[in-house]
Amino acid sequence: MTERIFRIAIDGPSGAGKSTIAKAVAKRLGIDYIDTGAMYRAIGLKMLSEGLAMEESDALSDMLARTEIDFDRGNVFLDGKIVNDLIRTPEVSKAASDCSALGSVRSKLVELQRKMGHSKSVIMDGRDIGTNVLKDAEYKYFLTATAEERALRRHKEMLEKGQESDLAQVLAQIVERDHNDSTRALNPLRKAEEAEEIDSTHMTIDQVVDYICDKVQ
Ligand code: DC
């Protein structure tokens, strides 16, 4: 019997729980998880460390041509080096959001993402998966939660990690990133018409994971 191949697209604003949920669904269904936000973060990190301006330039094209991004066993590799923690700082979050508005960055990463989602079952999360990267995905979800709830989750996460956090500041950053991500000209954050919206404000992670796995199985 040939194995059924299916793709699951999960889009939504930052902090809605996309990656936690996608990771758990992938594990339960035994399929690959591709965190496309981590790819924009890796490019943002490299632009910061090479001192590149957040605009199109020959230096940026050069840099993209010599950049490799990969995933292996839950690790994110940038040019062969694990960058899991380096890409999670507030500075890199901002750089990821800024560089994701650039056409050269998007075309490089979308091409890579399509290759990764080709000929095997995957769950991919991001902002433009259902509308652009995997337009023909068999399952599409748009995961949301109120900005206040998303800020509170991130704030608690930072405190648990022993990092300093100011709730009002976290909320302001989330609102700013929502605005950036949904108003940029190229493939902005948008719900695909056929995507099912899941509001996770009053749901636990397990409830959302169960819901998606029940639909797919
Ligand atoms: O999901 P995240 O917070 O790790 O994403 C980081 C940034 O990357 C986010 O601000 C928007 C951008 N992004 C994007 O433009 N398209 C995607 N498919 C995924 C992320």
Side-chain angles (χ1 to χ4, degrees):
M1 206 178 78
T2 52
E3 200 186 330
R4 178 173 77 113
I5 288 180
F6 57 90
R7 274 86 39 83
I8 308 174
I10 302 199
D11 291 303
S14 47
K18 296 185 301 291
S19 59
T20 309
I21 282 154
K23 224 179 270 172
V25 170
K27 195 167 171 207
R28 203 175 303 168
L29 300 179
I31 61 177
D32 281 2
Y33 163 52
I34 296 158
D35 175 355
T36 66
M39 300 169 80
Y40 289 94
R41 286 171 179 274
I43 297 293
L45 172 66
K46 194 160 172 181
M47 288 182 79
L48 287 180
S49 58
E50 295 201 354
L52 294 179
M54 293 290 161
E55 58 191 32
E56 300 289 4
S57 66
D58 290 342
L60 173 61
S61 308
D62 275 2
M63 184 274 258
L64 292 172
R66 58 182 163 77
T67 296
E68 278 180 29
I69 298 174
D70 217 339
F71 296 97
D72 189 38
R73 276 162 269 198
N75 292 313
V76 188
F77 289 83
L78 170 64
D79 300 325
K81 195 177 137 212
I82 295 179
V83 291
N84 302 358
D85 295 332
L86 287 177
I87 59 171
R88 299 290 161 196
T89 66
E91 204 190 359
V92 175
S93 299
K94 171 84 172 77
S97 182
D98 288 345
C99 80
S100 72
L102 303 174
S104 59
V105 172
R106 297 205 77 80
S107 50
K108 157 120 188 165
L109 295 187
V110 168
E111 191 191 332
L112 250 173
Q113 290 155 10
R114 287 193 177 133
K115 274 191 197 143
M116 291 174 171
H118 184 66
S119 71
K120 62 175 182 213
S121 294
V122 294
I123 180 164
M124 204 180 272
D125 78 336
R127 305 293 189 288
D128 61 338
I129 311 304
T131 54
N132 178 40
V133 180
L134 301 179
K135 250 191 182 145
D136 54 352
E138 286 77 3
Y139 302 94
K140 296 185 184 181
Y141 297 97
F142 194 76
L143 190 66
T144 62
T146 60
E148 288 73 17
E149 173 65 20
R150 289 183 282 129
L152 193 61
R153 289 176 190 172
R154 183 128 307 165
H155 175 66
K156 283 185 185 160
E157 205 178 281
M158 307 259 280
L159 295 182
E160 272 163 25
K161 281 190 202 158
Q163 291 167 357
E164 276 182 31
S165 178
D166 177 85
L167 182 57
Q169 204 179 345
V170 176
L171 177 60
Q173 282 165 353
I174 281 196
V175 170
E176 189 194 348
R177 282 181 64 205
D178 282 358
H179 179 76
N180 266 356
D181 295 344
S182 49
T183 56
R184 66 167 182 243
L186 299 170
N187 303 119
L189 168 65
R190 193 167 57 75
K191 176 183 164 307
E193 235 168 75
E194 62 282 23
E196 185 179 344
E197 182 160 346
I198 303 176
D199 182 346
S200 76
T201 307
H202 304 293
M203 288 173 85
T204 64
I205 290 166
D206 282 346
Q207 282 172 327
V208 181
V209 173
D210 287 347
Y211 183 81
I212 295 176
C213 290
D214 285 351
K215 291 264 175 167
V216 175
Q217 273 167 337

